């Protein structure tokens, strides 16, 4: 099972903080460093010093790391037009080198961040996502020297040179998440290399994986062509006192975290990861909320990851 570090910079983290965490992620042997793509803090934090743009951040990290994969979980379709998004991701892919950049793409859900920064937030957004997936992959898959055109309800492209091409072939992997019973599995089966369940119960993840497996089969894909992943808040302590201290630092109750996250002692977390592996989870994103606590990452790497 791959373990990836997943950060929420909108809660208050500048680029230097993210760089420090990304370098620790690489040095400690984790598979990837991912970040959310949000422009506004959530909950009872100041969010200072303010938001950082996800793809600008990843571009910088691409040049300052060498091994770990980098990506978003997930970029909202509302934030960027599909053509510029395809260009940006292809450029970061080139900056990182083949096989290191991945694009998580979703509908977007946080209305307040849109109104705070003047971003349109239509009530119905699934059509935006579907057309963006078609356009981004269409641009990347267009043969060099040919052009790409598209006419949909939301976007029109005419005779695009479809450049630049990603250095990763055929293109950077796409991650799709969500809990829709029909449309989400259909989109995942058509476009995604990975399907993710974020902050859902064990039972919900098992059910959703099943719907996507059915869609993958119906689409004529090999079962092994889809990776199944989960994202959960991580909070681990060597003993109960250390665990309680880390839970308090992120404003969570120890009992609630044990129920809903990957939390407790290393042995407890390894056991829960084993349960997720039993339903076919191949990758887990560890949501790290206290980015100043690098000892937390060291503990997870040495006392959890090495047991998997």
């Amino acid at each position: 099972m791959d373990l990836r570090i997943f950060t929420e910079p909108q809660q208050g983290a500048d680029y230097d903080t993210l760089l420090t965490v990304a370098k620790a992620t690489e040095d400690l042997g984790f598979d990837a460093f991912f970040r959310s793509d949000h422009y506004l803090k959530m909950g009872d934090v100041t969010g200072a010093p303010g938001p950082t743009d996800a793809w600008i951040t990843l571009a910088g990290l691409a040049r300052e790391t060498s091994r770990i994969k980098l990506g978003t979980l997930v970029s909202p379709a509302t934030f960027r037009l599909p053509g510029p998004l395809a260009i940006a991701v292809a450029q970061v892919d080139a900056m990182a080198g083949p096989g290191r950049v991945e694009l998580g793409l979703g509908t977007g859900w946080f209305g307040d961040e849109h109104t705070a920064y003047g971003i349109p937030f239509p009530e119905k957004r699934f059509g935006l996502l579907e057309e963006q997936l078609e356009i981004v992959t269409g641009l990347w898959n267009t043969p060099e020297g040919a052009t790409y055109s598209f006419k949909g309800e939301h976007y029109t492209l005419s005779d695009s040179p479809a450049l630049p091409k990603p250095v990763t072939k055929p293109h950077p992997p796409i991650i799709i998440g969500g809990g829709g019973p029909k449309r989400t599995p259909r989109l995942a089966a058509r476009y995604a290399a990975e399907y993710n369940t974020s902050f859902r119960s064990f039972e919900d993840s098992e059910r959703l994986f099943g719907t996507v497996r059915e869609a993958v089969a119906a689409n004529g894909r090999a079962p092994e062509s889809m990776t199944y992943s989960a994202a959960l808040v991580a909070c681990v302590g060597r003993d109960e006192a250390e665990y309680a201290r880390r839970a308090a630092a992120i404003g969570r109750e120890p009992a609630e975290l044990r129920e809903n996250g990957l939390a407790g002692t290393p042995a407890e977390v390894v056991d829960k990861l084993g349960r997720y592996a039993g339903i076919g989870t191949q990758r887990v994103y560890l949501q790290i909320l206290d980015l100043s606590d690098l000892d937390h990452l060291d503990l997870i790497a040495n006392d959890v990851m090495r047991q998997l």
Side-chain angles (χ1 to χ4, degrees), residues 269-288:
V269 172
V270 169
D271 180 68
K272 193 163 188 178
L273 287 170
R275 292 183 63 209
Y276 271 89
I279 62 169
T281 311
Q282 299 156 280
R283 179 173 294 153
V284 174
Y285 293 80
L286 306 174
Q287 185 196 44
I288 303 296

Side-chain angles (χ1 to χ4, degrees), residues 113-132:
E113 68 185 336
H114 293 74
T115 56
Y117 287 96
I119 304 168
F121 188 64
E123 182 179 349
K124 295 182 178 180
R125 300 178 299 280
F126 201 88
L128 295 177
L129 173 62
E130 188 161 14
E131 289 190 17
Q132 286 213 7

